[in-house]
């Protein structure tokens, strides 16, 4: 009796299946695991041309796939070599991954080539490692959150990255030097270094468009740029860029150069879309051609500005030429404290500019502090949402507020001979909190202003005041709105000329209601009717100007100084008598003026309103003559006090 052959056939099939599994090897396991994981990473069309084992290494050849996001990029990997252990699910454990001969292809001729990228100490998904290449800027811009967080590596090194893109419709090619990443932890990068960058126009224009030396970024969260939701997070701890060169559009002209750029901490706030998607939307929109595109552009710009907080941004050592071919230099430009439309400070120093008029100007330092443009961003939102239309009055809150502006060490000279034309030691403006469009407090100060008298005509004009070489002066202004008193008080407006004297004006304007000020400029007519003139005091303090003028005039007329003074007193008395009807007041004015003329020290004139004097009525009276308004005021003149 013959035995049944069924058990033998089943045993053979079982052994064949076991043998096939054993023959599959690590390369096939990794290939299957990667292809199976691609869809969860928003990758499609995955295929592996060949998977083989080479003496302890798993090799995947001719790998193709593409991203399926808003900007799909197809990727072809010539060869991927994986050394090290992998789990049953294809997860890498302290593996070395070498990927070579990579090509990425996007729309409109955009794409990249990458000679090789090597990862040491790799943990996580091989699919995420390969999927991270499905972007037009591999290693520099993640594809999505899933690929960026799908793996970690102790170190990553890349070489031979060439990217072809068309920003704003202009083709260009960017060639990157060696890229080194230390400490990549699921999207967070301890340090990234790019040894150099060169950007070249691809549209037939000559020369490198721009080059940069070493780029170093620390504490970079690459996921932050592709994440829309979530809390405010740090995108970058610090960054530097060295030796930037930008070619001039004028043939043969020297390039624009920057010694270096440095950045402090940069944070990204959550929004409706990721920063990467927002940037792509701005680039895709292009120049605004109609009302709808202008509104869309404004909305994107506002969102972009609101999303970033920046601790510090600094550019050092800028140099180049103006469009006229004249040199300029800027030692330092910096921004600090940027957040939500507000900027703590903007500072520029070491400026040197040559102008077409033959003059050279240097500025030691220029700064703007306490800038608040949050109202302007709010207006931009309203415009993008069609809640504000062209032709409407701009609300006062939309005008940016500046707390302080400062200039230091301004010097203007003639290029041909080095002759100084003007010099300013320091000019400063400070503004307090605003009432509508107007600052509630304004202080300005000018110090160290010097203007040499460079020709005979200028010397002849100022010789009567005793000035023959230069004019040196300082000035100060302080104005404050006192809401409780409804007054605008000019506490001082002082101009002091060295070796001449100083003028100081103190005055008050009353009847200024806060609501009317807030409604400016629409309330200007009403405010003009309600505003009332207050007291005015004008004080001159002598520093040699009057004495020089008397001496000069006496020499010109051939009179003695005493006779000339008496003549001036008589003329002043006749003039005062024409406008001051009260003899007692007129005599007091003439007497004080004469006392000052005999011994010039100081002269103070005080005007006190006899009643409510609307500014509108005062303006009408002053149209005829400055003296026509005198009957409206009580006048006091004091000399040498």
């Amino acid at each position: 009796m013959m035995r049944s052959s069924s058990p033998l056939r089943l045993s053979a099939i079982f052994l064949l299946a076991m043998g096939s599994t054993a023959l599959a090897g690590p390369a096939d396991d990794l290939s299957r695991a990667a292809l199976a994981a691609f869809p969860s990473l928003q990758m499609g069309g995955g295929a592996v041309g060949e998977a083989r084992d080479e003496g302890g290494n798993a090799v995947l050849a001719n790998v193709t796939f593409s991203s399926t996001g808003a900007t799909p990029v197809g990727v072809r990997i010539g060869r991927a070599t994986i050394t090290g252990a992998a789990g049953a699910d294809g997860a890498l454990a302290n593996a070395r991954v070498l990927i070579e001969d990579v090509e990425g292809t996007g729309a409109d001729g955009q794409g990249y080539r990458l000679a090789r990228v090597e990862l040491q100490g790799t943990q996580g998904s091989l699919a995420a490692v390969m999927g991270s290449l499905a972007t037009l800027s591999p290693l520099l811009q993640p594809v999505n959150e899933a690929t960026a967080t799908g793996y970690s590596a102790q170190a990553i090194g890349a070489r031979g990255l060439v990217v072809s893109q068309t920003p704003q419709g202009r083709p260009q090619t960017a060639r990157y030097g060696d890229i080194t990443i230390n400490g990549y932890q699921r999207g967070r990068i301890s340090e990234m270094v790019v040894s150099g960058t060169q950007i070249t126009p691809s549209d037939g224009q000559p020369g490198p468009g721009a080059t940069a030396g070493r780029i170093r970024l620390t504490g970079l969260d690459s996921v932050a740029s592709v994440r829309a939701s979530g809390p405010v997070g740090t995108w970058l701890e610090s960054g530097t860029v060295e030796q930037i060169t930008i070619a001039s559009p004028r043939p043969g002209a020297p390039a624009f150069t920057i010694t270096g750029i440095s950045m402090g901490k940069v944070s990204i706030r959550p929004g409706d879309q990721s920063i990467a998607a927002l940037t792509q939307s701005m680039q895709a929109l292009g120049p605004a051609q109609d009302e709808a595109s202008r509104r869309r552009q404004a909305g994107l710009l506002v969102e972009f500005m609101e999303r970033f907080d920046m601790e510090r941004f600094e550019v050092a050592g800028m140099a180049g030429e103006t469009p006229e071919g004249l040199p300029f230099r800027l030692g330092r430009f910096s921004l600090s404290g940027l957040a939500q439309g507000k900027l703590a400070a903007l500072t520029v120093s070491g400026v040197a500019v040559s102008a077409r008029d033959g003059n050279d100007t240097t500025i030691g330092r220029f700064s703007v502090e306490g800038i608040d443009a949050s109202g302007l961003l709010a207006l931009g939102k309203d415009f993008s949402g069609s809640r504000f239309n062209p032709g409407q009055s701009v609300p006062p809150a939309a005008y940016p507020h500046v707390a302080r502006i400062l200039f230091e060490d301004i010097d203007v000279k003639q290029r041909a001979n080095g002759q100084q034309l003007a010099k300013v030691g320091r000019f400063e403006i400070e503004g307090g909190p605003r009432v509508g469009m107007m600052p509630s407090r304004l202080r300005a100060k000018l110090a160290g202003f010097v203007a040499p008298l460079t020709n005979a005509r200028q010397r002849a004009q100022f010789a009567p005041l005793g000035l023959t070489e230069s004019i040196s002066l300082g000035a100060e202004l302080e104005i404050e709105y006192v809401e409780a008193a409804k007054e605008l008080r000019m506490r001082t407006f002082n101009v002091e000329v060295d070796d001449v004297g100083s003028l100081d004006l103190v005055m008050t304007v009353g009847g200024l209601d806060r609501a009317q000020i807030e409604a400016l400029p629409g309330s200007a007519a009403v405010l003009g009717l309600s505003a009332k003139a207050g007291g005015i005091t004008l004080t001159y303090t002598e520093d040699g100007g009057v004495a020089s003028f008397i001496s000069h005039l006496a020499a010109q007329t051939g009179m003695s100084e005493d006779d000339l003074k008496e003549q001036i007193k008589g003329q002043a008395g006749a003039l005062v008598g024409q406008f001051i009807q009260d003899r007692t007041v007129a005599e007091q004015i003439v007497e004080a003026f004469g006392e000052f003329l005999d011994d010039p020290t100081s002269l103070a004139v005080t005007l006190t309103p006899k009643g409510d004097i609307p500014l509108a009525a005062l303006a009408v009276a002053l149209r005829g003559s400055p003296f026509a308004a005198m009957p409206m005021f009580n006048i006091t003149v004091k000399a040498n006090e």
Side-chain angles (χ1 to χ4, degrees), residues 514-538:
R514 181 186 178 96
Q516 293 175 345
I517 297 176
E518 290 176 337
L520 285 171
S523 63
V526 176
L527 194 64
L529 293 173
S530 62
K532 297 176 176 59
I536 303 172
T537 298
L538 179 64

Side-chain angles (χ1 to χ4, degrees), residues 9 20 69 75 118 155 189 191 255 303 321 343 399 404 447 460 596 607 632:
R9 288 195 298 269
S20 299
V75 178
E118 181 177 351
I189 299 172
E191 179 189 48
E303 182 180 356
E321 283 190 352
L343 183 65
Y399 290 93
R404 182 171 180 256
F596 168 75
L607 306 179
M632 299 179 177

Side-chain angles (χ1 to χ4, degrees), residues 464 545-555 561-562 564-565 568 597 600:
V546 171
S548 295
F549 182 77
I550 294 294
S551 298
H552 177 83
L553 196 57
E561 291 188 13
D562 289 340
L564 179 61
K565 290 178 182 179
I568 294 174
L597 208 58

Side-chain angles (χ1 to χ4, degrees), residues 349-428:
S349 61
V351 179
V353 181
S354 296
R356 287 185 297 176
D357 60 5
N359 297 331
D360 292 338
T361 301
T362 60
I363 302 175
R365 181 171 176 247
F366 163 67
S367 67
V368 184
E369 301 173 6
I371 304 169
D372 185 351
S374 56
L376 184 60
L377 295 187
L379 181 66
K381 283 184 178 180
D382 290 342
F383 177 70
S384 67
S386 298
R387 295 181 297 275
F388 178 84
N389 298 302
Q392 290 182 246
S393 297
V394 177
Y399 290 93
H401 173 69
V402 175
R404 182 171 180 256
I405 299 174
L406 173 66
F407 287 90
E408 288 183 320
D409 298 327
I410 303 174
D411 199 352
V412 182
K413 294 181 179 179
Q414 290 181 344
R415 189 177 314 119
N417 54 20
Q419 172 66 54
Q420 188 179 74
L421 301 179
K423 184 177 181 179
V424 175
R426 182 183 178 94
F427 177 61
E428 179 181 8

Side-chain angles (χ1 to χ4, degrees), residues 12-30 32 53 88:
I13 292 171
F14 178 73
L15 290 172
L16 179 62
M18 290 292 291
S20 299
T21 302
L23 290 173
D28 285 318
D29 292 341
L30 285 171
R32 283 194 297 269
D53 297 316

